[in-house]
Amino acid sequence: MYPISRRSQRLHLRELRPDDIEGMFAIYGDARATEHMSFDPRTREDVEGIVARSIASAAADPRQEYALAVAATSDGDGRLIGFGRLALDPHQPRAATFGFALNPDVWGNGFGIETVRLLLACAFEDLDLHRVWGARSPLNTASARTMQRAGLTEEGCIREHVQRGGRWSDSITHSILDHEYAATAAR
């Protein structure tokens, strides 16, 4: 499906554009934003490559990855303040993993829950998925609260799931099913 476009009151979930590199770098290049991610801060060159690959993957048929910009609607030019991703699982029909990240400058304003809700709407309403799951660092309590508020259920721990800086760390998984999403969205 192309293009993806979903809106909430304050956000627009949309396809990435070449002019999103600076906004992405403000997230992926920031040590605060990547503290709980599976990678160290990226260079600007890394981010240029990520954006280029993400834009190219949107044209794939069938499309397997939805790497999307989270833009502020109050900003006339749709400035990127976050990033969301859905990756279809080739081994599980109608299932995907998801992730999201926001610019630290906008943390604490409820944009995380709006972002997750937009990603879930895309997953279940646009892509007709059955199951969506994501993983987080055990130390990322803000992400845990966000996923819980969006209706995801904490499933458990994947032991030594991520290697970063030469050290292994666990991940906590959360998921939501289509009928759970429908009940949550109806409220």
Side-chain angles (χ1 to χ4, degrees):
M1 176 174 199
Y2 184 87
I4 294 292
S5 179
R6 283 227 159 236
R7 293 179 182 274
S8 65
Q9 184 175 352
R10 302 181 301 164
L11 300 177
H12 182 200
L13 186 69
R14 61 165 171 76
E15 299 291 344
L16 280 171
R17 308 182 304 225
D19 65 342
D20 287 326
I21 290 169
E22 289 306 318
M24 285 289 293
F25 182 60
I27 300 166
Y28 276 17
D30 187 293
R32 294 170 299 161
T34 60
E35 176 183 5
H36 298 297
M37 292 188 189
S38 61
F39 55 86
D40 290 320
R42 307 285 192 184
T43 66
R44 189 176 193 295
E45 184 177 289
D46 292 336
V47 172
E48 288 172 4
I50 291 166
V51 170
R53 282 189 302 279
S54 296
I55 291 170
S57 76
D61 187 21
R63 188 172 182 181
Q64 297 297 308
E65 178 183 41
Y66 296 82
L68 304 164
V70 178
T73 57
S74 62
D75 190 327
D77 66 355
R79 178 181 57 93
L80 184 143
I81 62 163
F83 178 75
R85 181 176 178 267
L86 289 163
L88 301 184
D89 186 335
H91 306 292
Q92 293 180 314
R94 296 181 54 214
T97 60
F98 90 105
F100 65 99
L102 296 173
N103 184 316
D105 292 345
V106 302
W107 288 355
N109 292 305
F111 290 130
I113 186 75
E114 280 186 56
T115 296
V116 172
R117 286 179 176 153
L118 286 169
L119 285 166
L120 295 177
C122 176
F124 293 115
E125 296 174 27
D126 298 337
L127 303 177
D128 192 34
L129 297 181
H130 169 67
R131 181 176 193 277
V132 174
W133 73 278
R136 65 168 175 86
S137 161
L139 303 176
N140 193 344
T141 56
S143 183
R145 283 190 306 273
T146 296
M147 288 194 273
Q148 180 184 27
R149 287 183 60 209
L152 285 92
T153 299
E154 185 175 310
E155 289 187 324
C157 177
I158 303 174
R159 297 179 317 135
E160 296 188 4
H161 179 231
V162 173
Q163 187 179 39
R164 181 176 170 179
R167 296 180 55 193
W168 288 99
S169 61
D170 298 344
S171 292
I172 306 297
T173 60
H174 298 255
S175 72
I176 187 168
L177 305 174
D178 52 2
H179 57 88
E180 295 167 338
Y181 169 78
T184 299
R187 284 190 245 137

